[in-house]
Amino acid sequence: MIAHIIVTPKPVVNDPQGVTVRQGLASLGFREVLDVRVGKYIELSLDISSEHEARERVEEMCRQLLANHVIEDFRFEVIRNGRR
Amino acid sequence: MIAHIIVTPKPVVNDPQGVTVRQGLASLGFREVLDVRVGKYIELSLDISSEHEARERVEEMCRQLLANHVIEDFRFEVIRNGRR
């Protein structure tokens, strides 16, 4: 199975990286950009055949290592190799 | 419009961050993880009402600033505020 995980700063948390990107885009002329949030994208290849088990394990990985639950949210999808 | 952008290291490019995450997961007992790739996730709020125009502008932002086309791929989706 493949897992696609997105980790984002919580809405109430400052995102200085996002502010920097917004300023960079503005200085290039992209003034239509109102707000930028920058997070992480993590793709896992898993030696698991059950989608249910994969979901449980990925959830646990996010809680233990991939996301900092104090300041970050996470969401993910699990895909049978190559197809959703 | 909202844009969700994913920037990933190209498949042929080394991803030391991914290797480190895989080792970290393995040391926590997640030995079913075969491979990890780490990229960026960028969410933009755009003051644009046309989906077509938003796609063109976001593509241009990725080419000029958000992705390094030598070592990274990007993909994105554009969503009318809140809905796809």
Side-chain angles (χ1 to χ4, degrees):
Chain A
M1 309 286 287
I2 305 286
H4 295 168
I5 304 164
I6 288 173
V7 181
T8 51
K10 283 185 193 281
V12 295
V13 171
N14 282 334
D15 178 14
Q17 205 180 344
V19 172
T20 305
V21 170
R22 184 169 56 77
Q23 290 168 348
L25 287 170
S27 76
L28 288 171
F30 297 106
R31 300 192 182 281
E32 69 270 41
V33 179
L34 304 176
D35 190 39
V36 180
R37 306 287 287 177
V38 177
K40 285 175 287 185
Y41 171 77
I42 303 164
E43 201 172 290
L44 304 177
S45 305
L46 299 170
D47 184 18
I48 297 180
S49 52
S50 146
E51 185 171 330
H52 176 73
E53 190 193 344
R55 296 199 149 273
E56 289 196 336
R57 293 294 278 175
V58 171
E59 175 103 23
E60 200 51 43
M61 290 176 210
C62 289
R63 293 191 187 285
Q64 287 192 33
L65 184 76
L66 302 177
N68 177 345
H69 75 278
V70 178
I71 55 169
E72 293 173 327
D73 292 321
F74 66 87
R75 59 186 193 267
F76 63 86
E77 57 178 10
V78 163
I79 297 167
R80 197 164 292 280
N81 286 17
R83 289 162 300 156
R84 201 164 296 211
Chain B
M1 308 286 287
I2 305 286
H4 294 169
I5 304 165
I6 288 173
V7 180
T8 51
K10 282 185 193 281
V12 296
V13 171
N14 283 334
D15 177 15
Q17 205 181 345
V19 172
T20 304
V21 171
R22 184 169 55 76
Q23 290 168 347
L25 288 169
S27 76
L28 289 171
F30 296 106
R31 300 192 182 283
E32 68 270 40
V33 179
L34 304 175
D35 191 39
V36 180
R37 305 288 286 177
V38 177
K40 283 175 289 185
Y41 171 77
I42 303 163
E43 202 173 289
L44 304 178
S45 306
L46 300 169
D47 184 18
I48 299 180
S49 53
S50 145
E51 185 172 330
H52 176 73
E53 189 193 345
R55 297 200 149 272
E56 288 196 336
R57 293 293 279 173
V58 172
E59 176 103 23
E60 201 51 44
M61 291 176 210
C62 289
R63 293 191 188 285
Q64 287 192 35
L65 184 76
L66 303 177
N68 176 343
H69 75 278
V70 178
I71 56 169
E72 293 173 326
D73 292 321
F74 66 86
R75 59 186 192 269
F76 63 86
E77 58 178 9
V78 163
I79 298 167
R80 195 164 293 279
N81 285 17
R83 289 162 301 153
R84 201 165 297 212

